[in-house]
Amino acid sequence: MSREPRTYILFLFLFLSHGMASHRVPDSRQDLYPLLQKMAEEIIDGSYLNALLDLIQFQSSHGWTADLSHRVLEYLNSRNVAFTIPSLQAAMENHLEQRLYQPQKLLEDLKETDAQQFRTAMKCLLEDKKDRLELEDVVIDLGEIRKQALQSPGVNRSLFLITLERCFQVLNSLECVEILGRVLKGSSGSFLQPDIPGKLPRHLQEDAFKNLSAVFRDLYDQTSAHSQRAVYTWMTGILQTSSNATDDSVSWVSAENLWILGRYMVHLSFEEITKISPVEIGLFISYDNATKQLDTVYDITPDLAQAFLERISSSSFDMRNTSTIHRLGLLVCFYHDLDLLDAAVAQVLLHQMIKCSHLRGFQAGVQKLKANLLDIATENQTLNETLGSLSDAVVGLTHSQLESLSPEAVHGAISTLNQVSGWAKSQVIILSAKYLAHEKVLSFYNVSQMGVLLAGVGTQAFYSMDRRDLLQVLRSTISLHVSDLSPAQQQGVLSKMIEAGDTVSGILEIQGAFFKEVSLFNLRREPGFNTTVLKEKELRRSQALFLFELLSKTTRRPEELLSTGQLVKGVTCSHIDAMNADSFLAQFHYFENNLSLLSPYQFPDILQQTASKMAGTLLPKEFLWAVFESVRNSSEKSLSSDPSPGCHGVVAPSSGDIFTLAEANACWAPEDLLCMEEHTFIRNVELLGAVRGFDQPQLMTLKEKAVQFWDMPSYWKEYHIVSLGRIALALNESELEQLDLSSIDTVASLSQQTEWTPGQAKSILQGFLEDAGYRIQDLKSFHLVGLGTTLCAMNITEVSLIKISEFRVVVARIGTLLCSTHVLAEFKRKAEVVFGDPAKWSGPVLQELGTIAAGLTKEELQMLDKDLMPYFQPSAIKCLPAEIFKELSAEQIASLGPENAAAVTPAQRRQLSVLQLQSLQRALDGAKTRSWLDTPPSASPARTVSSASTLGLWTQPDGLATDQREDCICPHSSPWPSAFVQCTHSPTVLGGPEDTCYSSSLQNSATQLKEEF
């Protein structure tokens, strides 16, 4: 057992041993206090919890004297109970440990306590003041006992259940409610199941009821809908009973009852709301905390919200008064009385509607209301005059409305615009251009004012900034928005930061997720890294591998590396193999505390969460159709007053439909999309462009709508192209050639799509080169990143023209592309210039290269040591031609690791021999046999073994070299290292796509941990 529980589990042993050590056993029996005699009998019976409670009760009313220990021991001896110190210690340890780790037995013990013992137990939970029980030289820490109990979920649940069952019979209701509140808050609401409220007393004194209601209000978000309904039923049952309502015509819902219900007010029926007295609803709205309460009714429905609004309107409150609007909370999201509303009130409503994003659903209606209010707010005024007062409703402005804004208006409203969430990329491009219209070169001051609009600054503009201004940007709060930049924009910033060979001051200033864009090439040139500068930086796997190995050469303490930011991603099996048991146990909590960085195969909950998220993006067609039909059946069906030819009688998509349907928009028939009205298309083009399920006929229809409303592609501006998303895939090669592709940011938006045909990709690539006036050899690193998938359209001659100085800083980005084999082979040849002979490549280099590694020849692959196989990315395995993949030895294939093995394609499998297939299955299973270690060198192709780094801080257990280890064990499903299975022995990346291995010498450590926990 761990040391902490023993500090209070063994207190009886300490108490008794204190007595035995201090006194001789007397010859005559002395009388005990009845309560101590009862305690001694309970010790004899093995009821140590009961004995503890009696001791606490005795101490509360009596002083402890030295002779009491002596008298208790004498009593035990008089009963012929032969206790030795070790046997008594063992018995008490076993019993009390069971009660801590088997809470069901604790519950049974508490049920069997008498009324006084139970009262004492409850008082111990309740009282914070008396935290220490002093018995001469022995101190019992009651506060620690209480803390441990309330932190253990199982013990907490037992305490909760016994409190429900017995407390209200023994203590007064206020005390019991306080205890329930403590254990419920410790459970995050998980104990509050639907059947629990039915077990609560129906008759509580008023203060106790209000206090318990407050606890339930605090736990509202942590409880299920069924539990919420059960709590509501219990609360309203008491409220109705205590109300003065004599018949159904008089509502029991008073102002105070609404306050007591809190967020549970959303469970009131429509009929109950309509019966609320105007006086009571007016009194409620006048409460200072009413707005705070109404700000939290996230799950209210439109019908109930409008019913509340009607009742408020029937009171003395003027619904068009600014003060009243400020008190409405989330009810403002359903405001419906727009007749004769003036522009000033509309602007107030729009400002209050910022909070509507917290609603759980009904956003389509909110957007429609905002659009109507926006029209009213701009009546008889220009957008230039009202821009700063429209709140986040400005995201509803169309491209043409944004284009009509003057640069001065945007400058004047920048403090509002730079905080608004929900901008589409095309809108950000327009506003940024307006804001920077008068600036020839960007300055730190201008950029620092842009906030969320920073993403609209062009890549070339970033690259043209003064380097000192960029440094200031990265040090200021505006750097929080750097993660919103596209890869091309981020590379533009990085290129400027590290140009002229001065990487030190630039790289070390880069924080957060932005640091992941720094190339392995530049990291290797930087001599100034230490654990301090890495604290706030996110790392790619290849970066973590390199930096962990680099820093381990100069850092003697493992905990310094493991506790530094995301360096734990760089731990490999060989590192853990080299840790002895004591070292591993000492560092165990660093692995435990970084589960979010680890592989799905590792320390199962993360795997389930990931699977759940994937299920949300890969929805079956049947489900989408169910959503589609539901939305279509419930939406307003209004026919166009001036339909296009062929659209008579067709109910075309509305803005509300498109917003609500999301991915289910894929169920629209092409003819429905063809009948979409102009304002609907323009307002929702980016939502439609994000639908992954549209097929080619649907995309063609949407492209035709774009041409219909925006004219031919040659007239389209950057924001038009950016807003198309997947719709752009329907542009043929001729149409792509008409586009203005002079901006790398425009091209970057197109290259985000991965479904281009080779001809389309070639048109985009050539269009950029011609429109921007570049040759291949002129391309900067940010151009390469922005071109993205269109780089795959290059021929090998064009690839060879790319400058090594630009290629080497974006290798990781290019390594994400799924290009043809001959293109990857040419990129591999460039990688040789950067990283040297493939036979000497390290694990971090293979990770950095990604799919480029698939350009290796069969001879180069055969030369790779088997221990490097797990460092391949799964995408690289997929890209290896089947005729080359089959040249891998069985030993190499067995060392791939589970996820790389899972990436092997059917075509690759068909080329493998029986022995190779067996090896592949071993890799999939994570199994390792000794056969590979026993295989003579001549049985496999000659290869150069990569040199292992010498890590001074790792000690080699059992005196064995790493490559001589016969077995390794890796975590399976338990969070503790005691649950292990055999797995592939290789320097697998901790937190990488493969399982992590541990040497067999750690079995002893696992056993120790099992005993401890």
Side-chain angles (χ1 to χ4, degrees):
M1 276 189 329
S2 63
R3 189 177 298 266
E4 281 189 3
R6 290 182 179 176
T7 60
Y8 63 86
I9 287 177
L10 299 184
F11 75 91
L12 284 178
F13 160 66
L14 293 174
F15 145 64
L16 290 173
S17 63
H18 171 75
M20 289 181 173
S22 303
H23 303 277
R24 62 178 178 84
V25 177
D27 294 331
S28 60
R29 176 176 175 179
Q30 300 180 30
D31 291 334
L32 276 179
Y33 288 98
L35 193 56
L36 290 183
Q37 182 174 330
K38 181 169 174 279
M39 180 192 77
E41 290 291 337
E42 287 161 342
I43 291 175
I44 294 171
D45 293 339
S47 302
Y48 299 111
L49 178 61
N50 300 59
L52 165 62
L53 294 172
D54 283 339
L55 178 61
I56 295 173
Q57 174 60 26
F58 179 85
Q59 178 67 8
S60 67
S61 57
H62 298 79
W64 190 266
T65 59
D67 69 311
L68 289 176
S69 300
H70 161 81
R71 292 162 64 186
V72 169
L73 290 173
E74 180 186 339
Y75 182 88
L76 290 173
N77 286 333
S78 73
R79 293 292 310 278
N80 296 320
V81 178
F83 269 124
T84 64
I85 294 300
S87 65
L88 181 58
Q89 175 180 351
M92 288 188 293
E93 277 190 12
N94 182 60
H95 180 90
L96 295 177
E97 182 181 9
Q98 283 183 349
R99 276 25 178 195
L100 282 175
Y101 297 109
Q102 297 179 355
Q104 186 61 36
K105 292 186 177 181
L106 172 64
L107 180 61
E108 293 170 4
D109 279 358
L110 288 171
K111 286 182 177 181
E112 293 173 2
T113 56
D114 58 36
Q116 185 56 59
Q117 289 171 336
F118 184 78
R119 178 187 292 273
T120 301
M122 293 294 100
K123 289 285 189 180
C124 284
L125 288 176
L126 196 60
E127 295 176 358
D128 283 329
K129 294 180 181 178
K130 191 174 183 180
D131 280 342
R132 298 165 70 87
L133 184 61
E134 299 186 5
L135 310 175
E136 290 292 309
D137 296 334
V138 180
V139 176
I140 303 172
D141 193 342
L142 297 177
E144 182 65 17
I145 296 176
R146 177 167 52 247
K147 178 182 175 183
Q148 295 268 348
L150 293 177
Q151 285 182 345
S152 167
V155 173
N156 220 5
R157 180 170 179 79
S158 292
L159 293 173
F160 175 68
L161 294 175
I162 198 65
T163 302
L164 273 180
E165 183 177 325
R166 295 189 62 185
C167 186
F168 290 97
Q169 302 165 16
V170 177
L171 274 67
N172 69 59
S173 57
L174 269 176
E175 292 175 319
C176 293
V177 163
E178 185 173 349
I179 295 171
L180 281 176
R182 290 190 182 191
V183 293
L184 274 173
K185 289 175 181 177
S187 74
S188 298
S190 60
F191 298 163
L192 199 54
Q193 297 301 310
D195 63 317
I196 295 299
K199 300 177 181 179
L200 293 169
R202 289 285 180 177
H203 303 286
L204 285 176
Q205 55 178 287
E206 184 177 358
D207 288 344
F209 169 69
K210 288 182 178 179
N211 290 349
L212 189 53
S213 296
V215 172
F216 290 153
R217 291 199 299 269
D218 291 341
L219 295 174
Y220 187 91
D221 281 324
Q222 284 78 49
T223 53
S224 67
H226 289 303
S227 296
Q228 289 172 4
R229 190 69 194 177
V231 170
Y232 168 79
T233 301
W234 175 79
M235 292 173 71
T236 55
I238 294 178
L239 290 174
Q240 289 175 1
T241 302
S242 61
S243 73
N244 296 322
T246 56
D247 56 62
D248 290 341
S249 63
V250 180
S251 175
W252 59 270
V253 185
S254 64
E256 184 180 17
N257 287 352
L258 280 173
W259 175 80
I260 292 173
L261 285 172
R263 293 180 61 182
Y264 287 93
M265 65 186 288
V266 303
H267 294 276
L268 287 165
S269 68
F270 182 85
E271 292 73 22
E272 287 172 325
I273 296 172
T274 59
K275 291 193 296 185
I276 299 176
S277 161
V279 174
E280 293 296 331
I281 196 71
L283 185 60
F284 171 71
I285 289 296
S286 68
Y287 284 166
D288 289 337
N289 66 348
T291 302
K292 183 178 179 181
Q293 180 171 326
L294 291 173
D295 276 341
T296 63
V297 289
Y298 310 124
D299 48 350
I300 196 166
T301 63
D303 288 346
L304 297 186
Q306 291 183 6
F308 275 116
L309 289 171
E310 290 288 353
R311 299 316 295 155
I312 296 170
S313 179
S314 69
S315 69
S316 58
F317 282 88
D318 180 2
M319 297 298 286
R320 300 192 177 189
N321 181 277
T322 299
S323 176
T324 302
I325 292 173
H326 279 283
R327 291 178 174 272
L328 294 178
L330 289 176
L331 298 181
V332 77
C333 307
F334 304 95
Y335 196 96
H336 57 284
D337 186 14
L338 303 186
D339 293 339
L340 303 179
L341 200 68
D342 62 40
V345 175
Q347 291 174 11
V348 173
L349 285 167
L350 285 172
H351 182 74
Q352 288 298 302
M353 289 184 72
I354 291 178
K355 63 186 73 171
C356 296
S357 60
H358 298 302
L359 282 176
R360 294 174 184 164
F362 313 111
Q363 291 297 325
V366 170
Q367 296 303 320
K368 184 176 181 180
L369 176 57
K370 282 185 178 181
N372 291 334
L373 289 172
L374 190 62
D375 291 339
I376 297 172
T378 55
E379 270 184 357
N380 303 320
Q381 299 179 81
T382 65
L383 270 178
N384 287 327
E385 296 171 321
T386 58
L387 186 62
S389 61
L390 300 180
S391 189
D392 68 346
V394 289
V395 299
L397 295 175
T398 64
H399 293 159
S400 59
Q401 288 174 310
L402 292 174
E403 282 277 41
S404 72
L405 294 171
S406 67
E408 292 74 21
V410 175
H411 264 274
I414 195 65
S415 61
T416 297
L417 301 177
N418 65 8
Q419 300 180 62
V420 172
S421 61
W423 288 117
K425 185 63 182 288
S426 57
Q427 293 175 308
V428 170
I429 290 172
I430 296 172
L431 288 170
S432 296
K434 294 284 184 183
Y435 178 72
L436 299 172
H438 300 310
E439 308 298 329
K440 293 183 180 179
V441 178
L442 294 184
S443 67
F444 164 70
Y445 174 78
N446 287 330
V447 171
S448 67
Q449 304 298 307
M450 298 189 73
V452 297
L453 300 182
L454 186 69
V457 178
T459 299
Q460 190 66 50
F462 278 124
Y463 185 71
S464 300
M465 281 185 71
D466 184 274
R467 192 166 175 276
R468 290 168 298 183
D469 281 338
L470 266 183
L471 276 173
Q472 281 187 282
V473 168
L474 293 179
R475 292 169 179 163
S476 68
T477 55
I478 193 67
S479 65
L480 297 174
H481 299 287
V482 170
S483 60
D484 297 331
L485 303 183
S486 72
Q489 290 170 310
Q490 292 184 354
Q491 189 57 44
V493 174
L494 275 177
S495 298
K496 191 68 173 185
M497 294 292 295
I498 60 178
E499 68 178 6
D502 181 12
T503 62
V504 180
S505 59
I507 288 180
L508 298 186
E509 292 289 341
I510 299 169
Q511 301 295 333
F514 192 22
F515 189 80
K516 295 171 74 173
E517 296 297 320
V518 178
S519 70
L520 183 60
F521 174 82
N522 281 324
L523 289 187
R524 294 169 70 177
R525 298 168 63 202
E526 168 54 56
F529 280 113
N530 56 54
T531 54
T532 301
V533 300
L534 291 174
K535 291 285 187 185
E536 303 299 325
K537 294 175 173 32
E538 292 187 29
L539 303 177
R540 285 197 318 275
R541 192 76 56 204
S542 57
Q543 292 172 322
L545 286 165
F546 168 75
L547 290 169
F548 193 94
E549 183 173 345
L550 174 71
L551 295 178
S552 64
K553 296 174 182 176
T554 56
T555 303
R556 309 299 299 178
R557 297 186 300 121
E559 64 272 17
E560 186 173 347
L561 295 181
L562 295 175
S563 64
T564 298
Q566 296 190 354
L567 271 183
V568 70
K569 289 182 178 180
V571 179
T572 67
C573 276
S574 60
H575 294 142
I576 299 177
D577 279 344
M579 298 175 74
N580 60 30
D582 290 339
S583 178
F584 180 75
L585 286 171
Q587 317 309 326
F588 175 71
H589 65 283
Y590 291 116
F591 300 108
E592 181 186 17
N593 293 338
N594 286 283
L595 287 176
S596 61
L597 304 180
L598 304 183
S599 160
Y601 290 92
Q602 299 158 330
F603 289 71
D605 290 341
I606 297 176
L607 180 61
Q608 291 169 8
Q609 292 170 15
T610 304
S612 176
K613 291 178 182 177
M614 289 180 65
T617 58
L618 301 174
L619 298 174
K621 199 71 173 177
E622 294 79 6
F623 177 80
L624 293 179
W625 271 106
V627 174
F628 181 79
E629 293 297 337
S630 174
V631 172
R632 291 292 284 153
N633 290 336
S634 61
S635 63
E636 298 178 5
K637 296 179 176 61
S638 55
L639 300 177
S640 171
S641 57
D642 185 23
S644 303
C647 291
H648 290 278
V650 175
V651 181
S654 67
S655 291
D657 291 338
I658 294 170
F659 186 90
T660 305
L661 286 170
E663 187 62 27
N665 279 295
C667 297
W668 292 110
E671 50 268 29
D672 295 332
L673 295 173
L674 192 62
C675 294
M676 195 186 319
E677 296 184 347
E678 179 177 4
H679 68 90
T680 303
F681 177 82
I682 290 175
R683 285 186 180 275
N684 299 282
V685 61
E686 297 204 35
L687 291 176
L688 293 169
V691 176
R692 295 180 11 166
F694 278 142
D695 58 23
Q696 191 64 18
Q698 292 168 312
L699 293 174
M700 288 295 294
T701 300
L702 290 169
K703 181 202 74 173
E704 291 174 21
K705 300 303 291 184
V707 172
Q708 177 185 345
F709 301 135
W710 294 342
D711 212 330
M712 298 301 293
S714 58
Y715 293 96
W716 293 357
K717 296 185 178 180
E718 179 183 358
Y719 60 82
H720 289 129
I721 301 170
V722 168
S723 67
L724 285 175
R726 289 190 69 245
I727 300 172
L729 293 169
L731 294 168
N732 59 38
E733 294 173 29
S734 174
E735 291 167 327
L736 287 169
E737 291 169 1
Q738 295 179 46
L739 297 176
D740 177 4
L741 298 180
S742 58
S743 167
I744 189 59
D745 299 295
T746 306
V747 177
S749 71
L750 293 174
S751 69
Q752 289 177 3
Q753 308 306 325
T754 59
E755 303 160 76
W756 298 109
T757 66
Q760 287 175 309
K762 191 70 175 180
S763 295
I764 295 171
L765 174 63
Q766 290 301 126
F768 170 69
L769 294 174
E770 293 171 6
D771 293 349
Y774 288 115
R775 299 171 301 169
I776 298 290
Q777 53 266 44
D778 299 327
L779 296 177
K780 295 286 188 182
S781 59
F782 53 83
H783 292 140
L784 297 175
V785 173
L787 285 167
T789 56
T790 65
L791 289 177
C792 295
M794 287 185 174
N795 56 47
I796 57 175
T797 301
E798 291 171 324
V799 173
S800 68
L801 294 174
I802 296 175
K803 284 185 178 178
I804 293 293
S805 60
E806 304 300 327
F807 168 80
R808 67 191 181 191
V809 296
V810 293
V811 167
R813 279 287 174 186
I814 294 177
T816 64
L817 304 179
L818 303 177
C819 298
S820 63
T821 303
H822 68 277
V823 172
L824 292 177
E826 190 61 36
F827 278 128
K828 187 270 304 182
R829 282 188 275 275
K830 302 190 84 65
E832 291 183 63
V833 180
V834 179
F835 298 114
D837 185 351
K840 298 179 181 179
W841 284 352
S842 64
V845 170
L846 277 176
Q847 271 281 308
E848 182 88 347
L849 289 175
T851 57
I852 296 175
L856 290 166
T857 65
K858 65 179 181 181
E859 293 80 13
E860 290 166 337
L861 273 175
Q862 290 172 339
M863 289 294 290
L864 291 178
D865 185 78
K866 65 180 177 61
D867 288 345
L868 289 175
M869 300 310 293
Y871 292 99
F872 276 92
Q873 291 191 23
S875 56
I877 298 297
K878 288 181 180 179
C879 287
L880 280 169
E883 62 273 13
I884 291 182
F885 183 78
K886 72 176 183 179
E887 299 298 326
L888 290 172
S889 70
E891 187 178 10
Q892 286 176 309
I893 292 174
S895 299
L896 280 172
E899 191 163 342
N900 279 345
V904 174
T905 67
Q908 291 169 332
R909 280 175 177 268
R910 286 193 292 269
Q911 296 283 334
L912 300 181
S913 68
V914 173
L915 184 60
Q916 287 174 315
L917 287 171
Q918 290 174 347
S919 297
L920 182 63
Q921 190 59 48
R922 290 190 184 97
L924 284 168
D925 294 340
K928 177 183 183 291
T929 68
R930 42 190 317 142
S931 61
W932 304 122
L933 298 173
D934 297 335
T935 302
S938 60
S940 59
R943 58 177 61 89
T944 301
V945 180
S946 60
S947 58
S949 61
T950 302
L951 302 178
L953 60 95
W954 311 106
T955 58
Q956 196 77 301
D958 303 331
L960 295 176
T962 303
D963 59 356
Q964 294 175 322
R965 201 64 41 71
E966 291 188 356
D967 300 295
C968 69
I969 46 180
C970 67
H972 186 49
S973 60
S974 168
W976 307 115
S978 56
F980 287 101
V981 294
Q982 286 190 318
C983 66
T984 304
H985 172 65
S986 59
T988 310
V989 182
L990 177 65
E994 303 84 18
D995 279 347
T996 303
C997 299
Y998 301 90
S999 74
S1000 57
S1001 65
L1002 291 181
Q1003 288 177 342
N1004 291 334
S1005 307
T1007 302
Q1008 292 175 27
L1009 281 178
K1010 183 176 181 181
E1011 291 173 354
E1012 288 294 319
F1013 294 101

